[in-house]
Amino acid sequence: MNYITFGRFTLPADLLAAFAAIFIGALIYRAREKKSIDDWFWNSFFIYIAIYKLSYAVFNFKMFLDTPLSLLYFNGGTAGQILAFLGIAIYLYWLSRAKGSTITPEEYIPAYFIFFLLYWTGLFAFSQDFLAAAIQAVLMIGFILFYLKNIKLTMEYAILFLMLEALILSLFSDLLAVENLLIFALGVYLIIFQRLNKEEIQH
């Protein structure tokens, strides 16, 4: 894991990339929709952080009891990541199915791509892998222009962007790393969920 130092503070590069992605992503959404993004976007992020961090206490209960402040420095590891992504998937499913909800699965996919394309671009940049960051930025900008032009993000387009991202990660990162696999799994889940929801409405 790479770390970035700001004066006396040292922070993980992935955390900085995630925070940058969520705020920039919200601004991009506002630029197109002329309104703030719904709470589910922020809630999903905080659900991930909460489960990922708090799962440390579950999987390392004795150590947590001995040193409660260790929760600030450690996380739930691979199992915590899996639970965190599962938590997001369940939350988004529940939200769109809740009675009276105005949220539809079609809103999830664009936000997913905007966030994670920004995230990977930032992560490569913070890790000083500037060639990877530049190539990733091309894909990110391409998707953002696609989004801002109000082109419909069909399942075929979504799969295409996923495949292009997989290609970049296979060249410059570890495509089979647990975090990357979970991110792709979430994307596939959202694409399938959107497709099934459309079929349900049509019938």
Side-chain angles (χ1 to χ4, degrees), residues 164-200:
L164 290 173
E165 184 56 52
L167 176 61
I168 292 174
L169 292 182
S170 68
L171 292 173
F172 298 103
S173 183
D174 182 2
L175 178 61
L176 299 180
V178 172
E179 180 184 19
N180 291 339
L181 290 177
L182 288 172
I183 291 172
F184 279 108
L186 179 61
V188 172
Y189 164 79
L190 293 176
I191 291 171
I192 294 173
F193 184 29
Q194 176 178 304
R195 180 62 178 268
L196 293 176
N197 186 71
K198 283 184 177 179
E199 292 178 354
E200 186 177 304

Coordinates of all heavy atoms in Angstrom, one line a residue, residues 164-200:
L164 N -12.7 -2.3 -20.7 CA -11.6 -1.4 -20.9 C -10.9 -1.2 -19.6 O -9.6 -1.1 -19.6 CB -12.1 -0.1 -21.5 CG -12.6 -0.1 -23.0 CD1 -13.2 1.2 -23.3 CD2 -11.4 -0.5 -23.9
E165 N -11.6 -1.1 -18.5 CA -11.0 -0.9 -17.2 C -10.2 -2.1 -16.8 O -9.1 -2.1 -16.3 CB -12.0 -0.6 -16.2 CG -11.5 -0.3 -14.8 CD -10.4 0.8 -14.8 OE1 -10.8 1.9 -15.4 OE2 -9.3 0.6 -14.3
A166 N -10.8 -3.3 -17.1 CA -10.1 -4.6 -16.8 C -8.8 -4.6 -17.6 O -7.8 -5.1 -17.1 CB -11.0 -5.7 -17.2
L167 N -8.8 -4.2 -18.8 CA -7.6 -4.2 -19.7 C -6.5 -3.3 -19.0 O -5.3 -3.7 -18.9 CB -7.9 -3.7 -21.1 CG -6.7 -3.5 -22.0 CD1 -6.0 -4.9 -22.2 CD2 -7.1 -3.0 -23.4
I168 N -6.9 -2.1 -18.6 CA -5.9 -1.2 -18.0 C -5.3 -1.8 -16.7 O -4.1 -1.7 -16.5 CB -6.6 0.2 -17.7 CG1 -6.9 0.9 -19.0 CG2 -5.7 1.1 -16.8 CD1 -7.7 2.2 -18.8
L169 N -6.2 -2.3 -15.9 CA -5.7 -2.9 -14.6 C -4.8 -4.1 -14.9 O -3.9 -4.4 -14.1 CB -6.9 -3.3 -13.7 CG -7.7 -2.1 -13.2 CD1 -8.8 -2.7 -12.3 CD2 -6.9 -1.2 -12.4
S170 N -5.1 -4.9 -15.9 CA -4.3 -6.1 -16.2 C -2.9 -5.6 -16.7 O -1.9 -6.4 -16.5 CB -5.0 -6.9 -17.3 OG -5.0 -6.2 -18.5
L171 N -2.8 -4.4 -17.2 CA -1.5 -3.9 -17.7 C -0.7 -3.3 -16.6 O 0.5 -3.4 -16.5 CB -1.7 -3.0 -18.8 CG -2.3 -3.5 -20.2 CD1 -2.6 -2.4 -21.1 CD2 -1.3 -4.5 -20.8
F172 N -1.4 -2.5 -15.7 CA -0.7 -1.7 -14.7 C -0.9 -2.0 -13.3 O -0.3 -1.4 -12.4 CB -1.1 -0.2 -15.0 CG -0.7 0.3 -16.3 CD1 -1.7 0.4 -17.3 CD2 0.6 0.6 -16.6 CE1 -1.4 0.9 -18.6 CE2 0.9 1.1 -17.9 CZ -0.1 1.3 -18.8
S173 N -1.8 -3.0 -13.0 CA -2.1 -3.4 -11.6 C -2.3 -4.9 -11.6 O -2.0 -5.6 -12.5 CB -3.3 -2.6 -11.1 OG -3.6 -2.9 -9.8
D174 N -2.8 -5.3 -10.4 CA -3.2 -6.7 -10.3 C -4.7 -6.9 -10.5 O -5.4 -6.6 -9.5 CB -2.7 -7.2 -8.9 CG -3.0 -8.7 -8.7 OD1 -3.5 -9.3 -9.6 OD2 -2.7 -9.2 -7.6
L175 N -5.1 -7.3 -11.6 CA -6.5 -7.4 -11.9 C -7.2 -8.4 -11.0 O -8.4 -8.2 -10.7 CB -6.7 -7.9 -13.4 CG -8.1 -8.1 -13.9 CD1 -8.9 -6.8 -13.8 CD2 -8.1 -8.7 -15.3
L176 N -6.4 -9.4 -10.5 CA -7.0 -10.4 -9.7 C -6.9 -10.1 -8.2 O -7.2 -10.9 -7.3 CB -6.4 -11.8 -10.0 CG -6.6 -12.3 -11.4 CD1 -5.9 -13.6 -11.6 CD2 -8.0 -12.3 -11.8
A177 N -6.5 -8.9 -7.8 CA -6.4 -8.5 -6.4 C -7.9 -8.5 -5.9 O -8.8 -8.1 -6.6 CB -5.8 -7.1 -6.3
V178 N -8.0 -8.8 -4.7 CA -9.4 -8.9 -4.1 C -10.2 -7.7 -4.3 O -11.3 -7.7 -4.6 CB -9.3 -9.3 -2.6 CG1 -10.7 -9.3 -1.9 CG2 -8.7 -10.7 -2.4
E179 N -9.6 -6.5 -4.0 CA -10.3 -5.2 -4.1 C -10.8 -5.0 -5.5 O -11.9 -4.6 -5.7 CB -9.4 -4.1 -3.7 CG -10.1 -2.7 -3.7 CD -9.2 -1.6 -3.4 OE1 -7.9 -1.7 -3.5 OE2 -9.7 -0.5 -3.1
N180 N -9.9 -5.3 -6.5 CA -10.3 -5.1 -7.9 C -11.5 -6.0 -8.3 O -12.4 -5.6 -9.0 CB -9.1 -5.2 -8.8 CG -8.1 -4.1 -8.7 OD1 -8.5 -3.0 -8.2 ND2 -6.9 -4.4 -9.0
L181 N -11.3 -7.3 -7.9 CA -12.4 -8.3 -8.2 C -13.7 -7.9 -7.5 O -14.8 -8.0 -8.2 CB -12.0 -9.6 -7.7 CG -10.8 -10.3 -8.5 CD1 -10.5 -11.6 -7.8 CD2 -11.2 -10.5 -9.9
L182 N -13.7 -7.3 -6.3 CA -14.9 -6.9 -5.7 C -15.5 -5.7 -6.4 O -16.8 -5.6 -6.5 CB -14.6 -6.6 -4.2 CG -14.3 -7.8 -3.3 CD1 -13.8 -7.3 -1.9 CD2 -15.5 -8.7 -3.1
I183 N -14.7 -4.8 -6.8 CA -15.2 -3.6 -7.5 C -15.9 -4.1 -8.8 O -17.0 -3.6 -9.2 CB -14.1 -2.6 -7.8 CG1 -13.6 -2.0 -6.5 CG2 -14.5 -1.6 -8.8 CD1 -12.3 -1.1 -6.7
F184 N -15.3 -5.0 -9.6 CA -15.9 -5.5 -10.8 C -17.1 -6.3 -10.5 O -18.1 -6.2 -11.2 CB -14.9 -6.4 -11.6 CG -13.9 -5.6 -12.4 CD1 -12.6 -5.5 -12.0 CD2 -14.3 -4.9 -13.5 CE1 -11.7 -4.7 -12.7 CE2 -13.4 -4.2 -14.3 CZ -12.1 -4.1 -13.9
A185 N -17.1 -7.1 -9.4 CA -18.3 -7.8 -9.0 C -19.5 -6.9 -8.7 O -20.6 -7.2 -9.1 CB -18.0 -8.7 -7.8
L186 N -19.2 -5.8 -8.1 CA -20.2 -4.8 -7.8 C -20.8 -4.2 -9.1 O -22.0 -4.1 -9.2 CB -19.7 -3.7 -6.9 CG -20.7 -2.6 -6.5 CD1 -21.9 -3.2 -5.7 CD2 -20.0 -1.5 -5.7
G187 N -19.9 -3.9 -10.0 CA -20.4 -3.4 -11.3 C -21.2 -4.4 -12.1 O -22.3 -4.0 -12.6
V188 N -20.8 -5.7 -12.1 CA -21.6 -6.7 -12.8 C -23.0 -6.8 -12.1 O -24.0 -7.0 -12.7 CB -20.9 -8.0 -12.8 CG1 -21.8 -9.1 -13.3 CG2 -19.6 -7.9 -13.7
Y189 N -23.0 -6.8 -10.8 CA -24.2 -6.9 -10.0 C -25.2 -5.8 -10.3 O -26.3 -6.0 -10.6 CB -23.9 -6.9 -8.5 CG -25.0 -6.6 -7.6 CD1 -25.9 -7.6 -7.3 CD2 -25.2 -5.4 -7.0 CE1 -27.0 -7.4 -6.4 CE2 -26.3 -5.1 -6.2 CZ -27.2 -6.1 -5.9 OH -28.3 -5.9 -5.1
L190 N -24.6 -4.6 -10.4 CA -25.5 -3.4 -10.7 C -26.0 -3.5 -12.1 O -27.2 -3.1 -12.4 CB -24.7 -2.1 -10.5 CG -24.3 -1.8 -9.0 CD1 -23.5 -0.5 -9.0 CD2 -25.6 -1.7 -8.2
I191 N -25.2 -4.0 -13.1 CA -25.7 -4.1 -14.5 C -26.8 -5.1 -14.5 O -27.8 -4.9 -15.2 CB -24.5 -4.5 -15.4 CG1 -23.5 -3.3 -15.5 CG2 -25.0 -4.9 -16.8 CD1 -22.2 -3.7 -16.2
I192 N -26.6 -6.3 -13.9 CA -27.6 -7.3 -13.9 C -28.9 -6.8 -13.2 O -30.0 -7.1 -13.7 CB -27.1 -8.6 -13.2 CG1 -26.0 -9.2 -14.1 CG2 -28.2 -9.6 -13.1 CD1 -25.3 -10.4 -13.4
F193 N -28.7 -6.1 -12.1 CA -29.9 -5.6 -11.3 C -30.7 -4.6 -12.2 O -31.9 -4.7 -12.2 CB -29.3 -4.9 -10.1 CG -30.4 -4.4 -9.1 CD1 -31.7 -5.0 -9.1 CD2 -30.2 -3.4 -8.3 CE1 -32.7 -4.6 -8.2 CE2 -31.2 -2.9 -7.5 CZ -32.4 -3.5 -7.4
Q194 N -30.0 -3.8 -12.9 CA -30.6 -2.8 -13.8 C -31.4 -3.5 -14.9 O -32.5 -3.2 -15.2 CB -29.6 -1.8 -14.4 CG -30.2 -0.9 -15.4 CD -29.2 0.1 -15.9 OE1 -28.5 0.8 -15.1 NE2 -29.0 0.2 -17.2
R195 N -30.8 -4.5 -15.5 CA -31.4 -5.3 -16.6 C -32.7 -6.0 -16.1 O -33.7 -6.0 -16.7 CB -30.4 -6.3 -17.1 CG -31.0 -7.1 -18.3 CD -31.4 -6.3 -19.5 NE -31.9 -7.1 -20.6 CZ -31.1 -7.5 -21.5 NH1 -29.8 -7.2 -21.5 NH2 -31.6 -8.2 -22.5
L196 N -32.6 -6.7 -14.9 CA -33.7 -7.4 -14.4 C -34.8 -6.4 -14.0 O -36.0 -6.8 -14.2 CB -33.3 -8.2 -13.1 CG -32.3 -9.4 -13.4 CD1 -31.9 -10.0 -12.1 CD2 -33.0 -10.4 -14.3
N197 N -34.5 -5.3 -13.5 CA -35.5 -4.3 -13.1 C -36.3 -3.8 -14.3 O -37.5 -3.6 -14.3 CB -34.8 -3.1 -12.4 CG -35.8 -2.1 -11.9 OD1 -36.5 -2.4 -10.9 ND2 -35.9 -0.9 -12.5
K198 N -35.5 -3.6 -15.5 CA -36.2 -3.2 -16.7 C -37.2 -4.2 -17.2 O -38.3 -3.9 -17.6 CB -35.1 -2.9 -17.8 CG -34.4 -1.6 -17.6 CD -33.5 -1.3 -18.8 CE -32.8 0.0 -18.6 NZ -31.9 0.3 -19.7
E199 N -36.7 -5.5 -17.1 CA -37.6 -6.6 -17.6 C -38.8 -6.7 -16.7 O -39.9 -7.0 -17.2 CB -36.8 -7.9 -17.6 CG -35.7 -7.9 -18.6 CD -34.9 -9.2 -18.6 OE1 -35.1 -10.0 -17.6 OE2 -34.0 -9.4 -19.5
E200 N -38.6 -6.5 -15.4 CA -39.8 -6.5 -14.5 C -40.8 -5.4 -14.8 O -42.0 -5.7 -14.8 CB -39.2 -6.4 -13.1 CG -40.3 -6.6 -12.0 CD -39.7 -6.5 -10.6 OE1 -38.7 -7.3 -10.3 OE2 -40.1 -5.6 -9.8

